[in-house]
Amino acid sequence: MPTPTKTIPSEELLTQVIDTNATGITILDKSMNIIFWNQWMSNASSLAKEDVLHKNLFSVFPEMKNSRIEKAIELSISKGNASFISHTFNKNPFPLYSNGDKNKSIRQLTYIKPVNLKNNERYCFIQINDSTTSVYREEQLRKMAHDAQSLTKLKSGFVSSVSHELRTPLTSIMGALGLLKNGTDKVNPENMKTMLDIAYNNADRLLLLISDLLDMEKIESGKMDFNFSTININELIDLCITQNKGLSDKYKVQFNFNKDDNIPLVFADKDRIIQVLNNLMSNAVKFEPNGGTIEITSSHENNKVHVAVLDHGSGIPDEFKDKIFKAFTQADVSNTKNISGTGLGLAISKTIIEQHHGELNFDCNNKRGTCFYFTLPVNKQ
Amino acid sequence: MVELSELQQDMLTELFNIGMGNAASALSEMVSEAILLSIPEVSFMEKSELTNLLEADSGGHISGVSQQFHGLILGQALLTFPTDKSLELVRLLLQDTVPLENLTEFEEEALTEIGNIILNAGLSCLADIFEDEITSDLPIFNSGSCSEVIEHSNQTNSAQQTVLYLQVDFNIEKNDIKGYVMYLFDIQSMDKLATSIESYIEKLTA
Protein backbone atom coordinates (compact mmCIF):
# COMPACT_ATOMS: atom_id res chain seq x y z
CA MET A 1 0.00 0.00 0.00
CA PRO A 2 1.49 3.33 -0.99
CA THR A 3 2.29 5.75 1.80
CA PRO A 4 0.05 8.81 1.60
CA THR A 5 2.04 11.82 0.58
CA LYS A 6 1.69 15.02 2.55
CA THR A 7 0.82 17.85 0.19
CA ILE A 8 1.80 21.26 1.40
CA PRO A 9 -0.08 24.07 -0.33
CA SER A 10 2.29 25.98 -2.52
CA GLU A 11 2.63 29.75 -2.42
CA GLU A 12 0.94 29.85 -5.82
CA LEU A 13 -2.04 27.90 -4.51
CA LEU A 14 -2.35 30.05 -1.39
CA THR A 15 -2.10 33.26 -3.41
CA GLN A 16 -4.81 32.06 -5.78
CA VAL A 17 -7.08 31.14 -2.91
CA ILE A 18 -6.61 34.51 -1.23
CA ASP A 19 -6.96 36.32 -4.53
CA THR A 20 -10.31 34.73 -5.29
CA ASN A 21 -11.55 35.41 -1.78
CA ALA A 22 -14.58 37.67 -1.60
CA THR A 23 -12.97 39.93 0.99
CA GLY A 24 -10.19 42.47 0.79
CA ILE A 25 -6.89 41.25 2.16
CA THR A 26 -3.70 43.21 2.53
CA ILE A 27 -0.60 42.62 4.63
CA LEU A 28 1.74 45.35 5.88
CA ASP A 29 5.24 45.01 7.23
CA LYS A 30 6.23 46.76 10.44
CA SER A 31 6.97 49.97 8.49
CA MET A 32 3.41 49.89 7.17
CA ASN A 33 4.61 49.05 3.66
CA ILE A 34 2.18 46.97 1.64
CA ILE A 35 3.59 43.51 1.02
CA PHE A 36 0.41 41.77 -0.06
CA TRP A 37 -2.62 43.11 -1.96
CA ASN A 38 -5.26 40.67 -3.13
CA GLN A 39 -7.35 40.88 -6.27
CA TRP A 40 -10.43 42.11 -4.37
CA MET A 41 -8.39 45.08 -3.11
CA SER A 42 -7.18 45.79 -6.66
CA ASN A 43 -10.74 45.72 -8.00
CA ALA A 44 -12.20 47.89 -5.26
CA SER A 45 -9.38 50.44 -5.21
CA SER A 46 -8.64 50.42 -8.96
CA LEU A 47 -5.00 50.04 -7.95
CA ALA A 48 -3.12 47.04 -9.29
CA LYS A 49 -0.65 45.12 -7.14
CA GLU A 50 2.27 46.71 -8.99
CA ASP A 51 0.91 50.16 -8.10
CA VAL A 52 0.96 49.59 -4.37
CA LEU A 53 3.41 46.83 -3.45
CA HIS A 54 6.33 48.00 -1.26
CA LYS A 55 4.75 51.39 -0.83
CA ASN A 56 3.67 52.79 2.51
CA LEU A 57 -0.10 52.39 2.94
CA PHE A 58 -0.50 56.04 3.89
CA SER A 59 1.46 57.32 0.92
CA VAL A 60 -0.94 55.33 -1.26
CA PHE A 61 -3.94 56.66 0.69
CA PRO A 62 -2.84 59.95 2.28
CA GLU A 63 -6.48 60.74 3.12
CA MET A 64 -6.39 57.96 5.72
CA LYS A 65 -3.62 59.55 7.75
CA ASN A 66 -4.55 60.09 11.42
CA SER A 67 -7.57 57.85 10.97
CA ARG A 68 -8.80 55.15 13.34
CA ILE A 69 -7.40 52.62 10.88
CA GLU A 70 -3.93 54.14 11.16
CA LYS A 71 -4.12 54.04 14.96
CA ALA A 72 -5.29 50.43 14.89
CA ILE A 73 -2.44 49.45 12.55
CA GLU A 74 0.05 51.16 14.88
CA LEU A 75 -1.46 49.33 17.86
CA SER A 76 -1.19 46.05 16.02
CA ILE A 77 2.45 46.58 15.04
CA SER A 78 3.69 48.17 18.27
CA LYS A 79 1.63 46.35 20.89
CA GLY A 80 0.28 43.28 19.12
CA ASN A 81 -3.37 44.14 19.70
CA ALA A 82 -6.09 43.24 17.23
CA SER A 83 -8.79 45.76 16.34
CA PHE A 84 -12.21 45.62 14.81
CA ILE A 85 -13.51 48.73 13.09
CA SER A 86 -17.18 48.79 12.19
CA HIS A 87 -18.50 51.01 9.42
CA THR A 88 -20.55 53.02 11.93
CA PHE A 89 -17.87 55.09 13.60
CA ASN A 90 -15.25 54.96 10.88
CA LYS A 91 -14.96 58.40 9.36
CA ASN A 92 -12.01 57.51 7.08
CA PRO A 93 -12.43 54.04 5.66
CA PHE A 94 -10.37 52.78 2.74
CA PRO A 95 -11.38 54.65 -0.44
CA LEU A 96 -12.94 51.57 -2.03
CA TYR A 97 -15.73 51.51 -4.59
CA SER A 98 -17.97 48.87 -6.00
CA ASN A 99 -16.84 48.09 -9.60
CA GLY A 100 -14.59 51.14 -9.42
CA ASP A 101 -17.66 53.43 -9.57
CA LYS A 102 -16.83 56.51 -7.46
CA ASN A 103 -20.51 56.96 -6.62
CA LYS A 104 -20.69 53.54 -5.00
CA SER A 105 -18.59 53.62 -1.83
CA ILE A 106 -18.13 50.25 -0.21
CA ARG A 107 -19.28 50.18 3.44
CA GLN A 108 -16.57 48.33 5.30
CA LEU A 109 -15.96 46.15 8.31
CA THR A 110 -12.23 46.22 8.92
CA TYR A 111 -10.30 43.62 10.89
CA ILE A 112 -6.73 44.49 11.81
CA LYS A 113 -4.63 41.78 13.38
CA PRO A 114 -0.96 41.32 14.25
CA VAL A 115 0.79 38.29 12.78
CA ASN A 116 3.99 37.06 14.39
CA LEU A 117 6.34 34.74 12.59
CA LYS A 118 8.69 32.39 14.39
CA ASN A 119 11.62 34.70 13.80
CA ASN A 120 9.71 37.36 15.74
CA GLU A 121 8.99 39.31 12.59
CA ARG A 122 5.71 41.13 12.98
CA TYR A 123 3.25 41.89 10.22
CA CYS A 124 -0.13 43.49 10.18
CA PHE A 125 -2.94 41.61 8.51
CA ILE A 126 -5.90 43.67 7.30
CA GLN A 127 -9.15 42.12 6.18
CA ILE A 128 -11.99 44.20 4.75
CA ASN A 129 -15.51 42.84 4.44
CA ASP A 130 -18.00 44.53 2.17
CA SER A 131 -21.07 45.25 4.31
CA THR A 132 -22.81 47.56 1.83
CA THR A 133 -25.77 45.20 1.37
CA SER A 134 -26.32 44.58 5.05
CA VAL A 135 -25.99 48.31 5.78
CA TYR A 136 -28.61 48.98 3.12
CA ARG A 137 -30.88 46.29 4.55
CA GLU A 138 -30.56 47.69 8.04
CA GLU A 139 -31.22 51.22 6.84
CA GLN A 140 -34.39 49.95 5.16
CA LEU A 141 -35.37 48.20 8.37
CA ARG A 142 -34.83 51.39 10.33
CA LYS A 143 -36.88 53.35 7.83
CA MET A 144 -39.71 50.84 8.10
CA ALA A 145 -39.56 50.98 11.89
CA HIS A 146 -39.62 54.76 11.72
CA ASP A 147 -42.61 54.79 9.39
CA ALA A 148 -44.43 52.27 11.56
CA GLN A 149 -43.75 54.43 14.61
CA SER A 150 -45.11 57.55 12.88
CA LEU A 151 -48.16 55.65 11.69
CA THR A 152 -48.91 54.36 15.18
CA LYS A 153 -48.60 57.89 16.54
CA LEU A 154 -50.88 59.23 13.82
CA LYS A 155 -53.40 56.46 14.40
CA SER A 156 -53.57 56.95 18.14
CA GLY A 157 -53.90 60.71 17.67
CA PHE A 158 -56.69 60.09 15.18
CA VAL A 159 -58.50 57.62 17.42
CA SER A 160 -58.39 59.97 20.38
CA SER A 161 -59.65 62.92 18.27
CA VAL A 162 -62.44 60.83 16.74
CA SER A 163 -63.52 59.46 20.11
CA HIS A 164 -63.65 62.96 21.50
CA GLU A 165 -65.61 64.29 18.53
CA LEU A 166 -68.08 61.40 18.67
CA ARG A 167 -68.50 61.50 22.41
CA THR A 168 -69.38 65.21 22.65
CA PRO A 169 -72.64 65.13 20.66
CA LEU A 170 -73.49 61.71 22.03
CA THR A 171 -73.22 63.04 25.59
CA SER A 172 -75.66 65.83 24.73
CA ILE A 173 -78.06 63.34 23.15
CA MET A 174 -77.86 61.03 26.15
CA GLY A 175 -78.32 63.98 28.52
CA ALA A 176 -81.41 65.25 26.71
CA LEU A 177 -82.95 61.79 26.31
CA GLY A 178 -82.13 60.95 29.94
CA LEU A 179 -84.02 64.02 31.16
CA LEU A 180 -87.02 63.13 28.99
CA LYS A 181 -87.00 59.49 30.07
CA ASN A 182 -86.81 60.16 33.78
CA GLY A 183 -89.01 63.15 34.07
CA THR A 184 -91.59 63.06 31.31
CA ASP A 185 -94.46 63.82 33.69
CA LYS A 186 -92.74 66.93 35.03
CA VAL A 187 -91.54 68.31 31.71
CA ASN A 188 -93.79 70.81 30.01
CA PRO A 189 -94.19 70.48 26.24
CA GLU A 190 -92.00 73.50 25.54
CA ASN A 191 -89.05 72.14 27.54
CA MET A 192 -89.62 68.77 25.96
CA LYS A 193 -89.27 70.35 22.52
CA THR A 194 -86.00 72.01 23.59
CA MET A 195 -84.67 68.66 24.77
CA LEU A 196 -85.70 66.99 21.52
CA ASP A 197 -84.09 69.82 19.53
CA ILE A 198 -80.83 69.29 21.40
CA ALA A 199 -80.96 65.57 20.77
CA TYR A 200 -81.88 66.05 17.11
CA ASN A 201 -79.22 68.69 16.39
CA ASN A 202 -76.54 66.61 18.03
CA ALA A 203 -77.63 63.49 16.19
CA ASP A 204 -77.45 65.58 13.00
CA ARG A 205 -73.91 66.62 13.95
CA LEU A 206 -73.00 62.98 14.56
CA LEU A 207 -74.32 62.08 11.13
CA LEU A 208 -72.25 64.85 9.54
CA LEU A 209 -69.17 63.75 11.42
CA ILE A 210 -69.61 60.14 10.42
CA SER A 211 -70.09 61.03 6.75
CA ASP A 212 -66.97 63.25 6.92
CA LEU A 213 -65.07 60.42 8.60
CA LEU A 214 -66.13 58.05 5.85
CA ASP A 215 -64.96 60.60 3.28
CA MET A 216 -61.61 60.88 5.05
CA GLU A 217 -61.30 57.14 5.10
CA LYS A 218 -62.07 56.99 1.38
CA ILE A 219 -59.50 59.70 0.69
CA GLU A 220 -56.81 58.00 2.75
CA SER A 221 -57.39 54.62 1.19
CA GLY A 222 -57.55 56.22 -2.27
CA LYS A 223 -61.10 54.93 -2.77
CA MET A 224 -62.94 58.20 -3.19
CA ASP A 225 -64.90 57.90 -6.44
CA PHE A 226 -65.38 60.88 -8.69
CA ASN A 227 -68.11 61.29 -11.19
CA PHE A 228 -66.78 63.83 -13.67
CA SER A 229 -68.93 65.90 -16.00
CA THR A 230 -68.76 69.31 -17.67
CA ILE A 231 -70.08 71.94 -15.29
CA ASN A 232 -70.57 75.66 -15.01
CA ILE A 233 -69.13 76.75 -11.66
CA ASN A 234 -71.42 79.83 -11.49
CA GLU A 235 -74.45 77.54 -11.46
CA LEU A 236 -73.00 75.55 -8.58
CA ILE A 237 -72.24 78.73 -6.61
CA ASP A 238 -75.81 79.97 -7.12
CA LEU A 239 -77.11 76.60 -5.98
CA CYS A 240 -74.95 76.62 -2.85
CA ILE A 241 -75.98 80.18 -1.97
CA THR A 242 -79.58 78.94 -2.04
CA GLN A 243 -78.69 75.87 0.01
CA ASN A 244 -76.95 78.03 2.64
CA LYS A 245 -79.69 80.66 2.74
CA GLY A 246 -81.30 79.16 5.83
CA LEU A 247 -78.00 79.28 7.68
CA SER A 248 -77.07 82.79 6.50
CA ASP A 249 -80.50 84.16 7.41
CA LYS A 250 -80.30 82.57 10.81
CA TYR A 251 -76.97 84.24 11.50
CA LYS A 252 -77.95 87.51 9.81
CA VAL A 253 -75.31 87.55 7.11
CA GLN A 254 -75.61 87.86 3.35
CA PHE A 255 -73.89 86.46 0.33
CA ASN A 256 -72.81 88.73 -2.51
CA PHE A 257 -71.80 86.88 -5.65
CA ASN A 258 -69.47 88.74 -8.08
CA LYS A 259 -70.03 86.59 -11.09
CA ASP A 260 -67.70 86.22 -14.08
CA ASP A 261 -70.28 85.91 -16.84
CA ASN A 262 -67.78 84.54 -19.32
CA ILE A 263 -66.51 81.82 -17.05
CA PRO A 264 -65.36 78.72 -18.95
CA LEU A 265 -66.72 75.30 -18.14
CA VAL A 266 -64.79 72.91 -15.94
CA PHE A 267 -64.67 69.13 -15.95
CA ALA A 268 -65.44 68.15 -12.38
CA ASP A 269 -67.49 66.07 -9.98
CA LYS A 270 -70.53 68.25 -9.36
CA ASP A 271 -71.48 66.80 -5.95
CA ARG A 272 -67.91 67.01 -4.63
CA ILE A 273 -67.50 70.63 -5.75
CA ILE A 274 -70.83 71.43 -4.06
CA GLN A 275 -69.43 69.80 -0.93
CA VAL A 276 -66.37 72.10 -1.11
CA LEU A 277 -68.46 75.24 -1.76
CA ASN A 278 -70.82 74.38 1.12
CA ASN A 279 -67.86 73.86 3.41
CA LEU A 280 -66.27 77.21 2.52
CA MET A 281 -69.59 79.07 2.71
CA SER A 282 -70.67 77.61 6.05
CA ASN A 283 -67.21 78.39 7.47
CA ALA A 284 -67.57 81.97 6.24
CA VAL A 285 -71.01 82.27 7.86
CA LYS A 286 -69.43 81.14 11.12
CA PHE A 287 -66.97 84.00 11.15
CA GLU A 288 -68.76 86.83 9.32
CA PRO A 289 -69.89 89.50 11.82
CA ASN A 290 -73.67 89.90 12.17
CA GLY A 291 -75.09 92.07 9.41
CA GLY A 292 -72.00 91.50 7.26
CA THR A 293 -71.74 90.37 3.68
CA ILE A 294 -69.71 87.42 2.48
CA GLU A 295 -68.15 88.14 -0.90
CA ILE A 296 -68.06 85.27 -3.38
CA THR A 297 -66.16 85.85 -6.60
CA SER A 298 -65.73 83.73 -9.70
CA SER A 299 -63.10 84.58 -12.31
CA HIS A 300 -60.82 82.90 -14.81
CA GLU A 301 -57.22 83.33 -15.88
CA ASN A 302 -54.58 81.19 -17.60
CA ASN A 303 -56.87 78.24 -18.24
CA LYS A 304 -57.96 78.21 -14.64
CA VAL A 305 -61.27 78.98 -13.03
CA HIS A 306 -60.91 80.80 -9.73
CA VAL A 307 -63.49 80.89 -6.92
CA ALA A 308 -62.98 82.98 -3.79
CA VAL A 309 -65.05 83.17 -0.58
CA LEU A 310 -64.21 86.19 1.59
CA ASP A 311 -65.48 86.75 5.12
CA HIS A 312 -64.78 89.76 7.36
CA GLY A 313 -64.19 87.82 10.56
CA SER A 314 -61.30 87.90 12.97
CA GLY A 315 -59.03 85.93 10.63
CA ILE A 316 -56.89 82.88 11.32
CA PRO A 317 -54.43 83.00 14.24
CA ASP A 318 -50.81 82.89 12.99
CA GLU A 319 -49.96 79.76 14.96
CA PHE A 320 -52.86 77.97 13.35
CA LYS A 321 -52.14 78.80 9.71
CA ASP A 322 -49.82 75.82 9.17
CA LYS A 323 -52.30 73.34 10.57
CA ILE A 324 -55.53 74.56 9.03
CA PHE A 325 -55.77 71.78 6.43
CA LYS A 326 -54.98 69.00 8.88
CA ALA A 327 -57.81 66.78 10.05
CA PHE A 328 -59.33 67.60 13.46
CA THR A 329 -57.79 70.99 13.80
CA GLN A 330 -60.08 73.81 14.67
CA ALA A 331 -58.68 77.07 15.93
CA ASP A 332 -59.87 78.16 19.30
CA VAL A 333 -61.19 81.51 18.10
CA SER A 334 -64.20 83.45 19.17
CA ASN A 335 -66.88 81.63 17.27
CA THR A 336 -69.69 83.30 19.11
CA LYS A 337 -72.27 81.82 16.79
CA ASN A 338 -71.34 78.43 18.11
CA ILE A 339 -71.71 76.64 14.80
CA SER A 340 -70.15 73.28 15.27
CA GLY A 341 -67.87 71.66 12.71
CA THR A 342 -66.15 68.34 12.47
CA GLY A 343 -62.63 69.67 11.96
CA LEU A 344 -62.49 67.56 8.81
CA GLY A 345 -64.18 69.83 6.28
CA LEU A 346 -61.13 71.74 5.06
CA ALA A 347 -58.95 68.62 4.96
CA ILE A 348 -61.58 66.90 2.79
CA SER A 349 -62.14 69.98 0.60
CA LYS A 350 -58.44 70.39 -0.07
CA THR A 351 -58.13 66.77 -1.11
CA ILE A 352 -61.16 67.00 -3.37
CA ILE A 353 -59.76 70.08 -5.16
CA GLU A 354 -56.33 68.49 -5.49
CA GLN A 355 -57.92 65.38 -7.00
CA HIS A 356 -59.27 67.78 -9.64
CA HIS A 357 -55.71 69.05 -10.25
CA GLY A 358 -56.64 72.36 -8.68
CA GLU A 359 -55.46 74.23 -5.63
CA LEU A 360 -57.27 75.22 -2.44
CA ASN A 361 -55.65 77.82 -0.21
CA PHE A 362 -56.32 80.98 1.73
CA ASP A 363 -55.20 84.57 2.09
CA CYS A 364 -55.55 85.96 5.50
CA ASN A 365 -55.23 89.46 6.77
CA ASN A 366 -56.30 89.25 10.39
CA LYS A 367 -57.80 92.75 10.22
CA ARG A 368 -59.86 92.24 7.10
CA GLY A 369 -60.86 88.62 7.46
CA THR A 370 -60.09 85.54 5.46
CA CYS A 371 -60.37 84.67 1.80
CA PHE A 372 -60.47 80.98 0.93
CA TYR A 373 -60.07 80.32 -2.76
CA PHE A 374 -59.74 77.40 -5.08
CA THR A 375 -58.85 76.91 -8.71
CA LEU A 376 -59.95 74.28 -11.19
CA PRO A 377 -58.48 73.69 -14.63
CA VAL A 378 -60.64 74.80 -17.55
CA ASN A 379 -62.25 71.97 -19.50
CA LYS A 380 -60.26 71.69 -22.73
CA GLN A 381 -62.68 69.39 -24.55
CA MET B 1 -6.55 33.55 45.38
CA VAL B 2 -4.66 36.78 45.23
CA GLU B 3 -5.18 39.06 48.16
CA LEU B 4 -4.27 42.61 47.26
CA SER B 5 -2.81 44.96 49.78
CA GLU B 6 -4.33 48.42 49.95
CA LEU B 7 -1.36 49.83 48.07
CA GLN B 8 -1.62 47.21 45.34
CA GLN B 9 -5.33 47.80 45.08
CA ASP B 10 -4.81 51.57 44.71
CA MET B 11 -2.03 51.11 42.18
CA LEU B 12 -4.08 48.77 39.98
CA THR B 13 -7.12 51.01 40.18
CA GLU B 14 -5.04 54.03 39.23
CA LEU B 15 -3.32 52.21 36.38
CA PHE B 16 -6.57 50.98 34.90
CA ASN B 17 -8.13 54.42 35.26
CA ILE B 18 -5.31 55.86 33.16
CA GLY B 19 -5.87 53.13 30.56
CA MET B 20 -9.61 53.78 30.51
CA GLY B 21 -8.91 57.49 30.13
CA ASN B 22 -7.15 56.69 26.87
CA ALA B 23 -10.01 54.47 25.77
CA ALA B 24 -12.50 57.20 26.66
CA SER B 25 -10.72 59.80 24.56
CA ALA B 26 -10.64 57.39 21.60
CA LEU B 27 -14.37 56.73 22.05
CA SER B 28 -15.16 60.44 22.44
CA GLU B 29 -13.37 61.16 19.20
CA MET B 30 -15.27 58.39 17.43
CA VAL B 31 -18.72 59.58 18.43
CA SER B 32 -17.94 63.32 18.78
CA GLU B 33 -19.42 63.24 22.25
CA ALA B 34 -17.76 63.58 25.64
CA ILE B 35 -17.44 60.14 27.19
CA LEU B 36 -15.96 59.51 30.61
CA LEU B 37 -14.84 56.08 31.73
CA SER B 38 -13.86 55.32 35.28
CA ILE B 39 -12.88 52.26 37.24
CA PRO B 40 -14.06 52.65 40.81
CA GLU B 41 -13.05 49.15 41.82
CA VAL B 42 -10.56 46.43 40.95
CA SER B 43 -10.71 43.02 42.61
CA PHE B 44 -9.90 39.34 42.17
CA MET B 45 -12.38 36.54 42.43
CA GLU B 46 -12.98 32.93 41.45
CA LYS B 47 -14.77 32.24 38.20
CA SER B 48 -17.69 30.64 40.04
CA GLU B 49 -18.21 33.81 42.07
CA LEU B 50 -18.20 35.86 38.90
CA THR B 51 -21.26 34.16 37.41
CA ASN B 52 -23.22 34.75 40.62
CA LEU B 53 -22.18 38.37 40.77
CA LEU B 54 -23.12 39.09 37.16
CA GLU B 55 -26.41 37.26 37.51
CA ALA B 56 -27.33 39.26 40.58
CA ASP B 57 -26.56 42.50 38.79
CA SER B 58 -28.01 41.85 35.35
CA GLY B 59 -31.15 39.89 36.00
CA GLY B 60 -29.68 37.02 34.01
CA HIS B 61 -29.20 38.24 30.45
CA ILE B 62 -25.98 39.91 29.38
CA SER B 63 -24.25 41.03 26.20
CA GLY B 64 -20.54 41.06 25.95
CA VAL B 65 -17.44 41.35 23.86
CA SER B 66 -14.53 39.00 24.39
CA GLN B 67 -10.96 38.75 23.17
CA GLN B 68 -8.33 36.11 23.78
CA PHE B 69 -4.93 37.30 24.82
CA HIS B 70 -1.49 35.71 24.69
CA GLY B 71 2.02 36.43 25.84
CA LEU B 72 3.54 35.75 29.21
CA ILE B 73 0.03 35.25 30.44
CA LEU B 74 -2.85 33.58 28.66
CA GLY B 75 -6.50 34.16 29.06
CA GLN B 76 -9.69 35.84 28.06
CA ALA B 77 -10.70 39.45 28.28
CA LEU B 78 -14.40 40.10 28.55
CA LEU B 79 -16.56 43.23 28.72
CA THR B 80 -20.17 42.68 29.71
CA PHE B 81 -23.29 44.71 30.25
CA PRO B 82 -26.76 43.72 31.33
CA THR B 83 -28.44 43.42 27.91
CA ASP B 84 -30.78 46.37 28.44
CA LYS B 85 -27.78 48.52 29.39
CA SER B 86 -25.87 47.46 26.29
CA LEU B 87 -28.86 48.60 24.21
CA GLU B 88 -28.91 51.90 26.08
CA LEU B 89 -25.17 52.44 25.67
CA VAL B 90 -24.98 51.66 22.00
CA ARG B 91 -28.04 53.79 21.25
CA LEU B 92 -26.59 56.73 23.11
CA LEU B 93 -23.40 56.38 21.11
CA LEU B 94 -25.16 55.89 17.79
CA GLN B 95 -27.70 58.58 18.67
CA ASP B 96 -30.31 56.15 17.54
CA THR B 97 -33.66 57.72 16.97
CA VAL B 98 -35.44 54.52 16.06
CA PRO B 99 -34.65 51.96 18.70
CA LEU B 100 -35.66 48.45 17.71
CA GLU B 101 -36.46 45.76 20.24
CA ASN B 102 -33.18 43.88 20.03
CA LEU B 103 -29.62 44.77 19.17
CA THR B 104 -29.40 44.93 15.39
CA GLU B 105 -26.40 43.86 13.35
CA PHE B 106 -25.26 47.52 13.24
CA GLU B 107 -25.47 47.81 16.96
CA GLU B 108 -23.71 44.51 17.62
CA GLU B 109 -20.85 45.69 15.43
CA ALA B 110 -20.74 49.06 17.16
CA LEU B 111 -20.69 47.42 20.59
CA THR B 112 -17.94 45.04 19.44
CA GLU B 113 -15.85 48.00 18.34
CA ILE B 114 -16.41 49.83 21.62
CA GLY B 115 -15.57 46.68 23.60
CA ASN B 116 -12.45 46.16 21.53
CA ILE B 117 -11.14 49.62 22.40
CA ILE B 118 -11.80 49.18 26.11
CA LEU B 119 -10.38 45.67 26.33
CA ASN B 120 -7.23 46.65 24.39
CA ALA B 121 -6.75 49.63 26.73
CA GLY B 122 -6.94 47.31 29.72
CA LEU B 123 -4.54 44.83 28.12
CA SER B 124 -2.06 47.67 27.60
CA CYS B 125 -2.21 48.30 31.37
CA LEU B 126 -1.51 44.64 32.07
CA ALA B 127 1.35 44.72 29.55
CA ASP B 128 2.80 47.68 31.46
CA ILE B 129 2.71 45.70 34.68
CA PHE B 130 4.45 42.74 33.04
CA GLU B 131 6.82 44.99 31.15
CA ASP B 132 6.16 42.64 28.31
CA GLU B 133 3.84 42.36 25.38
CA ILE B 134 0.34 40.94 25.63
CA THR B 135 -1.09 40.35 22.20
CA SER B 136 -4.80 40.05 21.54
CA ASP B 137 -7.07 38.35 19.04
CA LEU B 138 -10.05 39.88 17.29
CA PRO B 139 -13.09 40.65 19.45
CA ILE B 140 -16.18 38.46 19.41
CA PHE B 141 -19.70 39.52 20.34
CA ASN B 142 -21.65 37.26 22.72
CA SER B 143 -25.06 37.44 24.25
CA GLY B 144 -27.06 35.12 26.47
CA SER B 145 -27.21 34.03 30.10
CA CYS B 146 -24.25 35.00 32.30
CA SER B 147 -22.83 31.50 32.39
CA GLU B 148 -23.29 31.05 28.63
CA VAL B 149 -21.43 34.26 27.85
CA ILE B 150 -18.61 33.49 30.27
CA GLU B 151 -18.23 29.91 29.06
CA HIS B 152 -18.53 30.87 25.42
CA SER B 153 -15.81 33.44 25.66
CA ASN B 154 -13.65 31.16 27.76
CA GLN B 155 -11.82 28.88 25.35
CA THR B 156 -9.26 27.49 27.78
CA ASN B 157 -11.96 25.65 29.70
CA SER B 158 -9.98 25.39 32.84
CA ALA B 159 -12.14 25.16 35.89
CA GLN B 160 -9.53 26.67 38.12
CA GLN B 161 -9.57 30.18 37.01
CA THR B 162 -9.17 33.50 38.62
CA VAL B 163 -10.73 36.64 37.43
CA LEU B 164 -9.35 40.14 37.58
CA TYR B 165 -12.52 42.09 37.77
CA LEU B 166 -13.02 45.77 37.07
CA GLN B 167 -16.23 47.68 37.28
CA VAL B 168 -16.31 50.29 34.54
CA ASP B 169 -18.62 53.27 34.64
CA PHE B 170 -19.56 54.99 31.41
CA ASN B 171 -20.73 58.54 31.61
CA ILE B 172 -22.32 59.77 28.38
CA GLU B 173 -24.62 62.75 28.03
CA LYS B 174 -25.38 62.71 31.75
CA ASN B 175 -26.27 59.01 31.60
CA ASP B 176 -24.41 56.55 33.79
CA ILE B 177 -24.06 53.03 32.52
CA LYS B 178 -22.29 50.36 34.47
CA GLY B 179 -20.38 47.59 32.73
CA TYR B 180 -17.81 45.05 33.80
CA VAL B 181 -14.38 44.25 32.43
CA MET B 182 -12.94 40.88 33.31
CA TYR B 183 -9.66 39.21 32.62
CA LEU B 184 -9.83 35.46 33.15
CA PHE B 185 -6.47 33.81 33.82
CA ASP B 186 -5.39 30.27 34.48
CA ILE B 187 -3.57 29.51 37.73
CA GLN B 188 -0.04 29.87 36.31
CA SER B 189 -0.80 33.21 34.73
CA MET B 190 -2.35 34.36 37.97
CA ASP B 191 0.82 33.58 39.86
CA LYS B 192 2.84 35.50 37.31
CA LEU B 193 0.48 38.44 37.62
CA ALA B 194 0.80 38.50 41.40
CA THR B 195 4.59 38.53 41.19
CA SER B 196 4.57 41.18 38.50
CA ILE B 197 2.31 43.46 40.54
CA GLU B 198 4.73 43.11 43.46
CA SER B 199 7.79 43.99 41.43
CA TYR B 200 5.99 46.78 39.57
CA ILE B 201 5.15 48.42 42.88
CA GLU B 202 8.63 47.87 44.20
CA LYS B 203 10.02 49.67 41.19
CA LEU B 204 7.55 52.49 41.53
CA THR B 205 8.26 52.99 45.22
CA ALA B 206 12.02 52.41 44.99
Side-chain angles (χ1 to χ4, degrees), chain A residues 68 71 75 77-91 109 111-114 116 122 134-135 137-139 141-142 145-146 149, chain B residues 26 29-32 67 93-94 96-100 104-107 109-110 112-114 116-117 120 123-124 128 133-139:
Chain A
R68 286 249 303 121
K71 284 178 192 150
L75 190 68
I77 292 171
S78 65
K79 295 202 164 178
N81 284 340
S83 294
F84 165 70
I85 299 177
S86 71
H87 64 86
T88 317
F89 301 122
N90 191 2
K91 290 163 189 143
L109 296 182
Y111 302 85
I112 297 173
K113 193 176 178 303
N116 292 316
R122 173 160 295 161
S134 59
V135 170
R137 236 183 284 131
E138 180 136 349
E139 279 168 357
L141 182 70
R142 272 165 199 281
H146 181 263
Q149 211 174 39
Chain B
E29 206 177 303
M30 269 160 61
V31 297
S32 310
Q67 274 179 268
L93 293 174
L94 291 173
D96 239 334
T97 47
V98 194
L100 303 169
T104 63
E105 210 175 313
F106 265 18
E107 292 169 334
E109 286 162 10
T112 308
E113 188 172 4
I114 294 159
N116 179 223
I117 290 172
N120 276 345
L123 285 173
S124 279
D128 284 347
E133 196 173 76
I134 299 176
T135 59
S136 61
D137 282 352
L138 286 164

Side-chain angles (χ1 to χ4, degrees), chain A residues 14-116:
Chain A
L14 289 176
T15 310
Q16 273 205 31
V17 168
I18 301 171
D19 258 349
T20 51
N21 206 10
T23 56
I25 289 171
T26 176
I27 302 172
L28 310 181
D29 66 13
K30 59 180 187 241
S31 309
M32 300 192 195
N33 291 326
I34 300 166
I35 61 164
F36 186 86
W37 191 253
N38 80 341
Q39 193 56 45
W40 189 96
M41 288 300 284
S42 294
N43 297 344
S45 66
S46 305
L47 292 168
K49 283 177 193 167
E50 313 73 86
D51 298 334
V52 298
L53 282 183
H54 311 298
K55 286 186 185 159
N56 183 285
L57 179 70
F58 299 98
S59 68
V60 176
F61 299 121
E63 62 270 51
M64 288 173 66
K65 268 213 135 313
N66 299 318
S67 63
R68 286 249 303 121
I69 290 184
E70 187 186 14
K71 284 178 192 150
I73 292 170
E74 270 169 14
L75 190 68
S76 141
I77 292 171
S78 65
K79 295 202 164 178
N81 284 340
S83 294
F84 165 70
I85 299 177
S86 71
H87 64 86
T88 317
F89 301 122
N90 191 2
K91 290 163 189 143
N92 301 88
F94 281 85
L96 303 176
Y97 304 94
S98 186
N99 303 321
D101 181 345
K102 296 270 178 205
N103 295 318
K104 291 183 186 164
S105 283
I106 293 178
R107 306 297 289 265
Q108 302 157 31
L109 296 182
T110 313
Y111 302 85
I112 297 173
K113 193 176 178 303
V115 180
N116 292 316

Side-chain angles (χ1 to χ4, degrees), chain B residues 6-26:
Chain B
E6 203 175 318
L7 180 66
Q8 287 172 327
Q9 176 90 36
D10 287 352
M11 188 277 295
L12 270 183
T13 310
E14 186 60 28
L15 200 63
F16 277 111
N17 269 306
I18 295 169
M20 289 307 142
N22 295 335
S25 62

